[in-house]
Amino acid sequence: MWFKKFFTKKKDDEEEEIIPGLVREHNMIELIGSGVSVYDSVYVPVKINIFEDKWVFIFNKFEGDDSADFTEYSLEVPGTPHQETVTITLDGVEFVWDDYDGFFRWNPFEEAVPERKFNDYVDYFSNGELRIQKDYAEHNLSPEALECAWNKCDEYYSFNVHDGMYAPVLFEMPSLFDKKERYEASRFKYFQAEAGSVVGDLLCVQRYLDKKFPDKSVPSLYLVYEQNEKRELWNG
């Protein structure tokens, strides 16, 4: 999901250029795991430079299967240094850089084709949408988890699997999803509710953690997860 294999290290990393007016930056190491895929292209951020009046995103853009073949791509958008979110557009698709969490967020932009049904209330679609019927979601998920939905309507809540915002759903309702030994198909690897992978994904949604568990350590999250595994979910 995060395209780590596409990262390359520049030979002159140790000789960083001094950029006039630069307020702060995110370097390549900080951005590991923050790549985004748009149709046949993968954009791997190598630096984000932040000025008083703009943000400059520098990517390596990969096309095709050759991970050694890329072009550098730069995108400048207006903004201020303390914004928590910044909107950019790549190949016609809108992304939001979440500076609080350090990840790109987006709404699924491809056609939603039904791919898997977990129960009468929860469905997964090929574009990365995890759709949960409204009553089921509101009975079984906390308000903090519901805030992570990218789409809310009278019928359902939608969570994006591909940008990680579905993680609180797996954390709060792990019994609904698969264990590794129960479903091995790689396309459904996102729903293998093992404690290590779920808590790891949860760390990518820092806003949720800060609101829901402001005083808890990572080891204590494992204990909460174990309690959630034993929860009896509301089923109508």
Side-chain angles (χ1 to χ4, degrees), residues 15-199:
E15 299 179 3
E16 289 291 336
E17 178 185 1
I18 297 176
I19 303 175
L22 184 68
V23 175
R24 60 186 180 91
E25 67 177 13
H26 296 294
N27 60 36
M28 181 183 293
I29 300 301
E30 295 172 313
L31 294 169
I32 287 178
S34 297
V36 294
S37 178
V38 187
Y39 304 115
D40 294 328
S41 300
V42 177
Y43 294 84
V44 178
V46 294
K47 184 169 287 189
I48 301 175
N49 291 328
I50 304 160
F51 300 84
E52 289 290 348
D53 60 352
K54 66 183 178 181
W55 291 56
V56 179
F57 295 81
I58 301 171
F59 299 90
N60 286 339
K61 180 181 179 180
F62 297 84
E63 297 178 276
D65 298 327
D66 187 358
S67 62
D69 184 19
F70 66 89
T71 55
E72 188 171 272
Y73 182 94
S74 180
L75 179 67
E76 180 178 314
V77 296
T80 58
H82 304 296
Q83 286 181 225
E84 289 190 358
T85 60
V86 181
T87 301
I88 65 172
T89 302
L90 301 172
D91 287 346
V93 178
E94 187 174 270
F95 293 83
V96 174
W97 169 253
D98 185 337
D99 204 54
Y100 191 101
D101 287 346
F103 285 95
F104 287 99
R105 310 295 187 195
W106 66 93
N107 297 342
F109 51 87
E110 297 177 335
E111 182 182 359
V113 177
E115 193 156 296
R116 188 173 182 200
K117 178 176 285 291
F118 288 96
N119 62 19
D120 291 339
Y121 308 97
V122 182
D123 297 273
Y124 175 66
F125 294 81
S126 60
N127 64 349
E129 176 186 355
L130 183 64
R131 184 179 296 180
I132 305 177
Q133 296 303 307
K134 186 174 185 290
D135 285 348
Y136 189 81
E138 293 180 351
H139 277 87
N140 291 312
L141 294 172
S142 68
E144 293 83 1
L146 294 175
E147 287 180 6
C148 295
W150 63 269
N151 183 35
K152 308 169 188 178
C153 64
D154 291 339
E155 290 80 31
Y156 55 80
Y157 288 78
S158 295
F159 298 84
N160 190 356
V161 169
H162 295 317
D163 73 353
M165 291 298 281
Y166 78 116
V169 176
L170 262 68
F171 183 76
E172 295 189 4
M173 301 194 304
S175 61
L176 179 64
F177 301 98
D178 298 318
K179 300 299 181 183
K180 288 183 180 179
E181 64 272 13
R182 284 169 46 196
Y183 208 101
E184 288 292 343
S186 60
R187 71 170 60 184
F188 297 128
K189 64 184 178 180
Y190 304 110
F191 305 112
Q192 292 177 351
E194 301 292 337
S197 61
V198 173
V199 172

Side-chain angles (χ1 to χ4, degrees), residues 9-18 47:
K9 183 172 178 59
K10 296 181 180 179
K11 293 181 181 179
D12 59 350
D13 275 352
E14 65 276 7
E15 299 179 3
E16 289 291 336
E17 178 185 1
I18 297 176
K47 184 169 287 189

Side-chain angles (χ1 to χ4, degrees), residues 205-235:
V205 194
Q206 193 63 44
R207 276 190 179 86
Y208 167 80
L209 291 177
D210 288 347
K211 291 180 179 180
K212 180 72 174 174
F213 306 109
D215 300 318
K216 288 191 179 296
S217 63
V218 171
S220 67
L221 292 176
Y222 282 90
L223 297 178
V224 176
Y225 179 85
E226 291 175 3
Q227 295 168 0
N228 288 342
E229 284 186 305
K230 302 171 184 177
R231 284 180 60 208
E232 183 175 344
L233 298 178
W234 178 90
N235 281 293

